[in-house]
Amino acid sequence: MVFPEYRPRRMRQNETFRAMIRETSLAPEQLIYPLFVMPGKNKKEEVPSMPGVFRLSVDQLAKEAKECMQTGIKSVILFGLPEKKDPMGSGAHQKDGIVQRAIKELKNKAPDLMVTTDVCLCEYTDHGHCGCIIDNKVDNDTTLELLARTALSHARAGADMVAPSDMMDGRVSEIRNTLDENDFHMIPIMSYAVKYASAFYGPFRDAADCAPQFGDRRSYQMDPANSREALREATLDVDEGADILMVKPAVAYLDIISKLKDEFDLPIAAYHVSGEYAMIKAAAEKGWINGDQVMEETLLSIRRAGADIIITYFAKEMAKILNNR
Ligand code: PBG
C-alpha cells in the first residue's frame, strides 16, 4: 500500500466516512460520577481545587441524583466525610454513618441510580491512612476485618456495588467472603486493583479531607515506576473474586490500562482522578486550552487504551455534550 494507490485521507474526507470507521465510542452509560457527602443540612460547598465539584449534605442528594439521571449518568460512586475521625476509622462502618445514610437517601429517592461505594478508611481515620496503625506502620491484616465490615455495612444500607481503594493485601477475598456469608453474593466488587502512589490525588485529599498526617501511602499504593507488578496485583484480585479491575490514575497510566485489557477478560475501569480533572479545568480557565475539547479527547483516549468504564468528575459535563449531538 503505497502512495498514490493508498490515500488515508480518502476515509477522512467527511464526517460520514469518519464516523463509519471510528474505532472508539464514548457514551454516558460508560461513566461513573463521584459524589462527596458531608454532614449538615442544606450544604453545597465547592471544592476550591476542583471547580464544578461540590461536597453535598445528604438532603441535597436527591436533586443531584435527578440531574445525573437526566443527563444519562446512571451510576455514582460515594465518598463520605464523617462527623468524627478516630484511629481505627470506626465511622466507616457505622450503621448510621455518612455514607450509609447517603446510600439510603439515594436508593429511596432515585432507586434506578446505581450506587457504588468507595471502601477505605482514610476519610475516617484521624491519621489519614487507609488502614489502622500498629507500631507506626499501616497494619495490613488488622485492617482487613474493618474493610470487610465497612463493605458489609454499605451492602446492608443498599449499595449496588463496593469498590475497595485501600490497597491492603487480601482485601478482595476478605470482603467477598464477608458479603457471601451475609447473603450478599450478588453484590459485585470493583477493585482498585492497580492504584499508584500518585501526586494526582492532591485535590481529592482536599475534597475528602484525607491527607495522611504523617508519612505517605507508598508502603501500600504502587510505585509509579512499575508495570509488571500491575499484572501481579490484578491476578491476585481476579483470584480473590473481583468483578471489575480498576487502574488509577488514568492518563499517566494508559499503558497499564492497555496491558490489563490484553491480559484479563474482566471489565476494566479507569479512574480519571482529581488532579487530572483540576489540570484541565485550570488551563481552560486561563484560556490556554479548549476545556470541552480536551475533556473529550482525554476521556476518549482512556477508552481507546481499553477502559470499559471511566470514573470521572467530568461525567455530567461530558454526558451533556454527548446528548446534544
Ligand atoms: C481513598 C481514595 C483516594 C482516591 C480515591 N479513593 C485518595 C488516596 O488514595 O489518597 C483518589 C481519587 C481522586 O484523586 O480523584 N483511598
Side-chain angles (χ1 to χ4, degrees):
M1 287 206 297
V2 284
F3 180 81
E5 285 77 20
Y6 183 65
R7 292 173 179 268
R9 289 187 55 191
R10 264 184 217 132
M11 291 306 290
R12 291 180 206 141
Q13 59 187 304
N14 63 44
E15 181 51 21
T16 308
F17 276 122
R18 291 191 293 269
M20 189 179 277
I21 63 162
R22 192 158 287 142
E23 297 174 32
T24 310
S25 69
L26 192 57
E29 57 267 26
Q30 299 153 348
L31 308 177
I32 302 180
Y33 187 55
L35 291 178
F36 297 102
V37 196
M38 65 180 296
K41 276 224 160 72
N42 218 3
K43 291 261 166 60
K44 185 174 182 184
E45 292 178 4
E46 192 166 30
V47 180
S49 50
M50 300 174 76
V53 174
F54 297 84
R55 300 155 142 190
L56 303 171
S57 51
V58 172
D59 57 284
Q60 300 295 303
L61 289 173
K63 205 171 135 211
E64 181 66 42
K66 208 171 139 203
E67 203 187 313
C68 285
M69 296 297 273
Q70 273 166 357
T71 57
I73 299 298
K74 299 189 170 76
S75 179
V76 296
I77 181 164
L78 290 182
F79 297 92
L81 289 100
E83 267 103 14
K84 278 201 308 264
K85 302 185 188 237
D86 62 30
M88 300 296 269
S90 60
H93 51 79
Q94 268 163 15
K95 199 168 168 233
D96 60 348
I98 186 84
V99 164
Q100 290 78 358
R101 277 182 282 140
I103 299 165
K104 283 187 196 137
E105 173 72 5
L106 284 171
K107 282 286 141 191
N108 251 326
K109 303 280 170 64
D112 295 336
L113 185 72
M114 178 178 175
V115 176
T116 297
T117 56
D118 183 86
V119 175
C120 194
L121 300 186
C122 66
E123 294 123 80
Y124 305 89
T125 52
D126 51 11
H127 45 73
H129 277 290
C130 305
C132 44
I133 307 286
I134 298 179
D135 293 336
N136 281 321
K137 290 198 175 83
V138 177
D139 192 80
N140 195 87
D141 295 10
T142 35
T143 302
L144 295 180
E145 200 226 317
L146 300 175
L147 293 167
R149 240 195 264 176
T150 302
L152 179 59
S153 75
H154 293 169
R156 283 188 173 138
D160 298 296
M161 177 158 79
V162 293
S165 71
D166 51 281
M167 287 301 275
M168 297 301 121
D169 297 334
R171 78 271 168 78
V172 173
S173 72
E174 186 85 12
I175 291 171
R176 185 71 273 155
N177 289 337
T178 300
L179 290 177
D180 289 357
E181 280 161 14
N182 289 276
D183 292 332
F184 289 110
H185 49 267
M186 289 303 281
I187 301 293
I189 299 177
M190 173 165 70
S191 172
Y192 287 70
V194 182
K195 178 173 177 181
Y196 287 92
S198 170
F200 286 101
Y201 309 149
F204 175 92
R205 290 178 189 173
D206 293 338
D209 184 27
C210 69
Q213 298 303 302
F214 66 91
D216 52 44
R217 302 211 202 288
R218 284 184 292 180
S219 77
Y220 41 106
Q221 298 179 349
M222 276 181 57
D223 185 336
N226 294 355
S227 145
R228 282 157 19 103
E229 189 185 353
L231 298 179
R232 291 201 293 280
E233 276 286 3
T235 303
L236 274 170
D237 286 4
V238 172
D239 292 347
E240 291 178 30
D243 299 280
I244 298 173
L245 299 171
M246 193 203 298
V247 175
K248 176 183 174 192
V251 176
Y253 300 89
L254 292 178
D255 58 325
I256 308 297
I257 296 172
S258 167
K259 215 170 192 162
L260 257 65
K261 183 72 164 202
D262 287 345
E263 294 285 333
F264 299 94
D265 52 15
L266 286 182
I268 305 293
Y271 200 139
H272 184 245
V273 302
S274 57
E276 304 181 85
Y277 173 84
M279 290 196 308
I280 295 175
K281 282 287 175 192
E285 258 176 31
K286 280 194 170 273
W288 290 350
I289 58 172
N290 179 317
D292 283 353
Q293 287 176 4
V294 171
M295 162 179 73
E296 182 165 2
E297 189 175 331
T298 300
L299 297 178
L300 196 62
S301 77
I302 299 168
R303 289 266 305 143
R304 193 190 61 233
D308 301 291
I309 302 160
I310 307 174
I311 299 155
T312 175
Y313 304 97
F314 279 127
K316 281 193 298 180
E317 251 178 286
M318 189 67 249
K320 280 180 198 156
I321 291 177
L322 293 170
N323 293 336
N324 285 334
R325 295 244 161 95

